[in-house]
């Protein structure tokens, strides 16, 4: 192929090289609020929390493909994370899609599903892809590409499974819903064949791991004993019965997602397309409603599971890879696998060389760090609708975080904490209503315990809600829970300076508005109040 012809084909976004002769199907199984918890990781590092969760279907994908141990999100907040995933860029390059409430999709930003559709793929999605934001699921074809014919009850898995006297029957009904929704995309005429000749790109995005879930459901539905979590709760959280039960219920939702993944796998096999499919399984950030989880740049908020199976594109199965991977890397990976030109705007790097390698451990020495950050999550978290801006760099040994507005409250304000010291909300309000205070942490039993025990256990309260210094530096090998900030230690200054320099270089290289002369994230467009639209 001549260079001129290659350029024309690439500009049109159509398949451009020999890999496109047998273009793979692409299935993304993406769980809302699923941090890095899976039994595959428990086997790698026994003795921790992951000993207590069972994810056989995720594990099978890893065993037949690649398990990544260092996959991180670009932002630990739903919409910004998904903006980066779909666009193949750092979240801060996505305009108003860089925030959660108030996000709008800019169609000038290329997204991998729409590029694949332009290249002849059939695209579809079930449950959630990109939201909250306007238009909903825009970068994956919007509502026109949604396939939810059998319903959306799986999104409230424990709420629905706990209804009635037969939880097992209810669980089966919810898994049938997953099957029906998938088949409404792949085989709507019911002839037991995938419709059409075109390859497909499908996104399975249930939200059941997002709160709320039913207290006690982890044990009732999945046999997960809360008492087994004693001694395994991270030290910045209270190791008390209500928190252990919260963990058990969360792990139950993870197992529900894994059961849904099993349905997807079985149907792909039954329809004869499993081995010509890239199957990617991951989540959009960490545990919601707990200290240092969702909306935090510590590993508990940004580290996510990742397993990829692609028989045609892998020479060796069952590898465990320690390269640092950022989820935006998936977009150029999918495009390259499909033979579609990767837009220059994508700052992420394709994983194809890593997938094609036969090595385990560190495959690409250049993948030695990831960059994360956040801006606005809940619009009303701060009194003036401003964000809590952070950026971070995570390497093998260190995590360095810059808090650009340390005078603000990291999880938002509350009565007496950035707001007038009026009467504090009661227990039921803290548990059920995220909006009563510290709004960037979801309402939960764990949040309730921490807030209501702030006088008797102020240290745990501070870990969750107190203001933070401008710079945080942790040695994650010696201190994996990030309990000791080394930023001001004299002996830590060389590594602090090195990491700050590298982080700022990446932010400037990729035109992060946060370090520019025009910090748009503090402007009226990004700090306006958010009014949730009522469903018609």
């Amino acid at each position: 192929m001549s260079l001129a012809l290659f350029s024309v084909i690439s500009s049109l976004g159509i398949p451009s090289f020999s890999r496109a002769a047998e273009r793979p199907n692409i299935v993304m199984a993406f769980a809302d609020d699923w941090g890095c918890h899976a039994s595959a990781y428990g086997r790698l590092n026994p003795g921790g929390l992951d000993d207590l969760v069972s994810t056989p279907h995720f594990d099978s994908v890893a065993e037949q493909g690649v398990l990544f141990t260092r996959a991180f999100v670009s932002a630990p907040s739903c919409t910004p994370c998904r903006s980066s995933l779909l666009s193949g860029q750092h979240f801060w390059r996505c305009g108003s899609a860089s925030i959660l409430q108030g996000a709008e999709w800019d169609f000038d930003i290329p997204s991998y599903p729409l590029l694949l559709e332009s290249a002849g793929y059939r695209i579809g999605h079930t449950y959630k892809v990109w939201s909250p934001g306007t238009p909903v699921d825009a970068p994956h074809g919007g509502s026109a590409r949604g396939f939810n014919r059998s319903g959306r009850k799986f999104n409230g898995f424990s709420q629905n499974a706990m209804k009635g006297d037969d939880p097992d029957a209810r669980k089966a009904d919810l898994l049938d819903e997953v099957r029906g929704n998938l088949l409404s995309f792949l085989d709507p005429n019911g002839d037991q064949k995938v419709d059409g000749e075109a390859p497909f790109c499908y996104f399975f995005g249930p939200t059941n791991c997002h709160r709320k879930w039913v207290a006690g459901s982890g044990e009732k539905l999945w046999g997960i004993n809360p008492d087994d979590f004693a001694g395994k709760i991270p030290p910045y959280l209270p190791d008390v019965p209500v928190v252990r039960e919260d963990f058990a219920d969360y792990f139950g939702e993870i197992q529900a997602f894994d059961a849904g993944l099993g349905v997807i796998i079985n149907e792909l096999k039954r329809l004869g397309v499993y081995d010509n499919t890239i199957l990617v399984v991951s989540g959009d950030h960490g545990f919601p409603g707990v200290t240092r989880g969702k909306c935090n740049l510590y590993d508990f908020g940004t580290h996510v599971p990742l397993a990829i199976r692609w028989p045609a594109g892998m020479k060796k199965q069952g590898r465990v890879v320690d390269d640092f991977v950022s989820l935006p890397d998936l977009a150029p990976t999918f495009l390259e696998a499909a033979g579609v030109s990767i837009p220059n705007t994508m700052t992420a790097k394709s994983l194809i060389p890593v997938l094609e390698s036969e090595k385990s451990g560190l495959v690409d020495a250049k993948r030695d760090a990831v960059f994360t950050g956040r801006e606005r999550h809940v619009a009303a978290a701060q009194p003036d609708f401003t964000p809590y801006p952070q950026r971070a760099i995570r390497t093998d040994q260190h995590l360095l975080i810059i808090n650009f507005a340390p005078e603000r409250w990291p999880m938002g304000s509350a009565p007496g904490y950035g707001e007038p010291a009026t009467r504090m909300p009661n227990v039921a309000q803290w548990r059920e209503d995220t909006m009563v205070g510290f709004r960037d942490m979801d309402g939960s039993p764990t949040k309730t315990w921490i807030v209501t025990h702030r006088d008797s256990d102020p240290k745990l309260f501070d870990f969750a809600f107190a203001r933070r210094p401008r710079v945080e530096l942790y040695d994650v090998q010696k201190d994996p829970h990030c309990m000791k900030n080394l930023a001001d230690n004299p002996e830590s200054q060389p590594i602090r300076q090195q990491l700050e320099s590298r982080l700022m270089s990446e932010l400037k290289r990729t035109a992060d508005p946060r370090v520019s002369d025009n910090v748009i994230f503090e402007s009226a467009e990004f700090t306006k109040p958010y009014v949730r639209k009522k469903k018609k």
Side-chain angles (χ1 to χ4, degrees), residues 4-235:
L5 179 57
F6 180 88
S7 299
V8 171
I9 290 176
S10 296
S11 69
L12 293 174
I14 59 179
S16 56
F17 57 94
S18 59
R19 190 190 300 279
E22 294 185 10
R23 293 186 292 169
N25 306 305
I26 296 168
V27 173
M28 183 78 193
F30 201 60
D32 217 30
D33 293 20
W34 179 24
C36 194
H37 303 291
S39 42
Y41 295 114
R43 285 190 288 275
L44 289 178
N45 298 290
L49 286 169
D50 294 337
D51 291 349
L52 306 178
V53 67
S54 177
T55 54
H57 304 294
F58 174 84
D59 297 357
S60 72
V61 174
E63 290 162 2
Q64 298 168 27
V66 174
L67 178 67
F68 290 87
T69 64
R70 290 171 170 170
F72 289 79
V73 296
S74 179
S77 170
C78 295
T79 304
C81 170
R82 293 159 185 268
S83 298
S84 67
L85 166 71
L86 293 158
S87 69
Q89 306 186 57
H90 292 302
F91 85 96
W92 55 73
R93 292 170 54 86
C94 296
S96 72
S98 301
I99 63 175
L100 183 86
Q101 292 184 337
E104 296 182 10
W105 184 256
D106 180 354
F107 284 95
D108 287 336
I109 298 174
S111 68
Y112 82 77
L114 298 183
L115 289 169
L116 289 174
E117 186 174 47
S118 295
Y121 272 70
R122 187 161 59 91
I123 69 172
H125 53 82
T126 294
Y127 305 128
K128 173 181 176 178
V129 182
W130 185 80
S131 74
T134 304
V136 174
D137 297 330
H140 209 301
S143 58
R145 300 294 181 264
F147 291 85
N148 298 280
R149 185 175 65 187
S150 294
R152 294 176 176 267
K153 290 183 178 179
F154 194 95
N155 287 336
F157 193 93
S158 63
Q159 296 95 318
N160 287 296
M162 295 282 276
K163 291 178 180 177
D165 298 326
D166 192 346
D168 288 338
R170 296 292 294 169
K171 287 166 66 175
D173 289 342
L174 293 167
L175 294 173
D176 282 342
E177 176 187 290
V178 171
R179 182 177 296 104
N181 285 332
L182 174 67
L183 294 180
S184 71
F185 171 63
L186 291 182
D187 182 24
N189 63 9
D191 65 356
Q192 312 305 311
K193 297 178 182 179
V194 173
D195 287 10
E197 299 296 324
F200 58 82
C201 172
Y202 180 69
F203 196 105
F204 172 62
T207 63
N208 63 294
C209 292
H210 190 296
R211 294 185 185 272
K212 304 173 185 178
W213 49 75
V214 177
S217 58
E219 186 167 26
K220 178 74 173 180
L221 298 175
W222 303 101
I224 303 173
N225 186 350
D227 292 340
D228 291 342
F229 288 83
K232 294 180 182 290
I233 302 296

